Amino acid sequence: MSFRVWLSARFFLFFLTWSSYLSYWGIWLLASGFGATDVTAIVTVGLLARSFSIAFVYPLLCRVTSLRRLSQALAWGAAGLSTLYLTHPDLGSMIGVSIVVGISYPLLMPLSETLATIGAASGKVDYGSVRYFGSAGFIVGLGVSGVVGRQYGDGALVRVFVVGCLLLALADVVRPAGFPADRVTATGGGRRRLLRNRAYALSLGSSVLLQGAHAAYYAFGAEYFTRLGISSINVSLMLALAVGCELLLFKYAGPLLGHRSVPVLFAAAAAISVLRWGLLAAPLPLAFVVLSQTLHAGSFALTHIAHARSVQSHVPKELWATAQALYTALAISLGVAAITAAAGPLYAASPHWAFLAMAAVCLPCFLLARLQAKTPGTREVPSAVRRTDPAPRP
């Protein structure tokens, strides 16, 4: 099996499990008898554990072991630890399980991104094409969870996660040809070096704001759609529509975006994000709410691609794992958690205020993109992108 095929399968299977972990976890916890306050506590400690582990534990593991051994250890660890959720413990035990799983399972995300970045730089893979399978896995996971919840009740949703983790571990038994053999040998002080790197620091700042602005959508989007009178099955279809549009952008990122600089990509992502959250903030007809879902390709996927391009072009190779860890810890985890805490009271007052605040969060990104464009060396298209992305179509 080639490395490209293996990595595509890894993205697919991980995001199949991630869809359950991200989108249905609160629903399963409520169905398991936990109250709303308990669910908030369980989810919050998991997010904090995830942020710490990705920022500090993941770079350390990359330095002390090979990426291949780390991949196997994390995959089988996730399969084993996922079964702890089947015990239906009390609040204290569930918080403990949430911390343990939060420290280990989410590390599969930056590991996959690191492998994709290395593969793209070496010409073995096209980043958008392999990441495309992650979005496909997320859609399949949403569909599977929707069917399981409808047929067997929300209490059975955890089994989707457990079975998905087992499949992920079994798939990792295959040793692909061309797998990066060496460990990532970053020196000490990698995070400080990255944050002193003006071009990358500005990219990270934009990523934290743009990904963090999804907080109200992740926490309350499904409930808000239900409040608008949309049926549960149609809510699932709307969630799938968003990820489907994301999938298309990842698939065709090379032809569409290969010649665009990182600051331009971030500015475009900010503009689309402001439009998306603005549509949800305004009391518009339902058709505009559906339309806003198609903009997920710009608010999430385009931000993700812009960050990946920034890593390839502005970060030394020995710091790629650290850069991916910072992104996942700060933009995907801690930033979302912090903005969720602020969005909660606003949503309780009015959903429109919460989504208006998400649009406001994105506005500073225009200034950050402008500052990045003035930073030497950031206006060019990175050589790794020119080498690995398909040529733009005429």
Side-chain angles (χ1 to χ4, degrees):
M1 179 184 294
S2 70
F3 177 62
R4 179 184 61 80
V5 172
W6 180 92
L7 187 58
S8 298
R10 160 56 66 85
F11 270 115
F12 180 90
L13 290 171
F14 172 76
F15 278 96
L16 187 150
T17 64
W18 189 254
S19 67
S20 174
Y21 189 73
L22 182 67
S23 302
Y24 289 96
W25 219 239
I27 296 174
W28 172 71
L29 289 170
L30 290 170
S32 299
F34 294 99
T37 302
D38 296 339
V39 171
T40 300
I42 293 168
V43 172
T44 299
V45 298
L47 283 170
L48 293 175
R50 184 202 311 176
S51 301
F52 171 82
S53 180
I54 291 174
F56 297 100
V57 177
Y58 174 68
L60 175 62
L61 292 175
C62 286
R63 291 198 297 269
V64 301
T65 188
S66 69
L67 294 177
R68 178 60 184 156
R69 290 180 179 176
L70 181 58
S71 175
Q72 292 176 315
L74 292 178
W76 283 102
L81 292 174
S82 67
T83 60
L84 295 176
Y85 284 113
L86 299 175
T87 60
H88 294 289
D90 56 22
L91 175 61
S93 299
M94 180 58 78
I95 286 177
V97 172
S98 185
I99 292 173
V100 172
V101 174
I103 288 175
S104 57
Y105 161 71
L107 296 186
L108 287 162
M109 182 187 295
L111 175 62
S112 299
E113 294 291 341
T114 299
L115 292 172
T117 302
I118 294 173
S122 62
K124 295 178 181 178
V125 302
D126 167 50
Y127 175 83
S129 294
V130 295
R131 182 57 179 78
Y132 157 90
F133 284 93
S135 299
F138 198 95
I139 292 176
V140 172
L142 287 175
V144 171
S145 294
V147 171
V148 169
R150 187 172 183 177
Q151 291 292 116
Y152 303 103
D154 294 338
L157 289 171
V158 68
R159 290 173 173 79
V160 177
F161 179 67
V162 174
V163 172
C165 287
L166 178 60
L167 292 175
L168 182 69
L170 291 174
D172 208 281
V173 172
V174 178
R175 184 177 181 87
F179 193 101
D182 298 331
R183 66 190 65 178
V184 180
T185 56
T187 57
R191 285 179 293 274
R192 291 191 298 273
R193 288 176 58 191
L194 284 172
L195 295 177
R196 287 197 298 266
N197 180 330
R198 177 183 170 88
Y200 178 74
L202 290 169
S203 293
L204 183 62
S206 292
S207 299
V208 170
L209 293 174
L210 293 172
Q211 297 292 16
H214 290 77
Y217 172 72
Y218 291 151
F220 309 112
E223 195 277 336
Y224 178 57
F225 297 152
T226 302
R227 184 183 296 195
L228 294 176
I230 302 172
S231 67
S232 58
I233 187 65
N234 286 331
V235 168
S236 297
L237 291 174
M238 288 181 66
L239 295 175
L241 172 63
V243 184
C245 293
E246 163 197 317
L247 181 151
L248 290 175
L249 184 60
F250 279 128
K251 177 67 174 179
Y252 298 106
L256 292 174
L257 307 174
H259 60 296
R260 303 297 182 185
S261 68
V262 170
V264 168
L265 296 181
F266 274 119
I272 294 171
S273 297
V274 170
L275 176 60
R276 181 186 187 187
W277 308 130
L279 288 174
L280 290 180
L284 296 172
L286 188 60
F288 288 92
V289 176
V290 176
L291 175 64
S292 72
Q293 289 297 91
T294 66
L295 300 178
H296 190 72
S299 64
F300 175 81
L302 188 55
T303 301
H304 199 82
I305 291 169
H307 179 269
R309 295 278 180 86
S310 180
V311 171
Q312 290 181 35
S313 55
H314 306 308
V315 175
K317 186 175 181 179
E318 68 271 15
L319 293 180
W320 281 358
T322 305
Q324 295 294 354
L326 274 179
Y327 170 74
T328 308
L330 298 181
I332 303 297
S333 301
L334 193 58
V336 174
I339 298 177
T340 298
L346 289 172
Y347 187 84
S350 170
H352 302 295
W353 282 108
F355 289 113
L356 182 62
M358 298 303 99
V361 166
C362 301
L363 293 176
C365 296
F366 293 108
L367 175 60
L368 295 179
R370 182 175 178 81
L371 292 173
Q372 190 176 27
K374 294 182 178 181
T375 301
T378 59
R379 298 184 66 88
E380 297 86 0
V381 179
S383 59
V385 174
R386 290 196 297 265
R387 183 170 61 252
T388 59
D389 283 354
R393 295 175 182 174

